Amino acid sequence: MADGKRAETLERLMAAGREHSGVTVMFHSAIAAKQGLNATEEKTLDLLERHGPLTAKDLARLTGLAPASVTGLVDRLEAKGFARRVKHPTDKRRVLVELERDRIGDLAGFFEDWARDIVEVCEDFTTEELDTVVRFLTVMAERQRAAAARLTGS
């Protein structure tokens, strides 16, 4: 019977994961569209916000995109005024991609209501439960990044 309960729980987890994935893509697509971006561009800006200036190779690793796709992505972000290429401070052969900070301020406003919702929902969970969710999401992000890299051959 325990195996049946686990199978049922895993099935519910997969269904909830699919639902979460779908609404997450739609949420980020809606935010991106408000700024004339696509979801990949918006999430790349998030990576640059969290990690600071990155090389194209770093972006390829973090996004799972092929290097040629990253070049096009950076070209689009630069053309739209959201990012710029700058010389690497210690290796003049390399280039970093950095945010145009004045352009991303508007994006922060779109997340404020959502951040309040998250804080409110977290009140219903114990710290231990939240630790489990954090562990699960961290492992799943690593696995999904690896799956994306396999799909793009990077």
Side-chain angles (χ1 to χ4, degrees), residues 125-139:
F125 295 88
T126 67
T127 300
E128 292 76 19
E129 288 172 322
L130 292 173
D131 282 337
T132 299
V133 172
V134 168
R135 185 169 63 92
F136 177 81
L137 291 175
T138 301
V139 169

Side-chain angles (χ1 to χ4, degrees), residues 111-131:
F111 289 99
E112 289 174 3
D113 285 343
W114 178 230
R116 280 191 292 275
D117 288 345
I118 292 170
V119 169
E120 181 181 316
V121 167
C122 286
E123 292 300 319
D124 294 339
F125 295 88
T126 67
T127 300
E128 292 76 19
E129 288 172 322
L130 292 173
D131 282 337

Side-chain angles (χ1 to χ4, degrees), residues 2 7 42 48 51 56 62 72 75 81 129 131:
E42 185 261 329
L48 292 169
H51 296 280
L62 289 168
D75 288 346
E129 288 172 322
D131 282 337

Side-chain angles (χ1 to χ4, degrees), residues 66-136:
S69 296
V70 170
T71 299
L73 170 65
V74 173
D75 288 346
R76 290 190 310 275
L77 288 173
E78 204 167 34
K80 294 175 183 182
F82 284 94
R84 66 176 171 253
R85 290 174 170 97
V86 297
K87 291 180 181 178
H88 193 282
T90 59
D91 184 348
K92 299 303 178 197
R93 298 167 297 170
R94 295 172 48 191
V95 172
L96 293 173
V97 179
E98 70 178 16
L99 288 175
E100 287 285 2
R101 292 234 168 251
D102 57 328
R103 286 298 311 271
I104 64 160
D106 292 340
L107 288 172
F110 296 123
F111 289 99
E112 289 174 3
D113 285 343
W114 178 230
R116 280 191 292 275
D117 288 345
I118 292 170
V119 169
E120 181 181 316
V121 167
C122 286
E123 292 300 319
D124 294 339
F125 295 88
T126 67
T127 300
E128 292 76 19
E129 288 172 322
L130 292 173
D131 282 337
T132 299
V133 172
V134 168
R135 185 169 63 92
F136 177 81

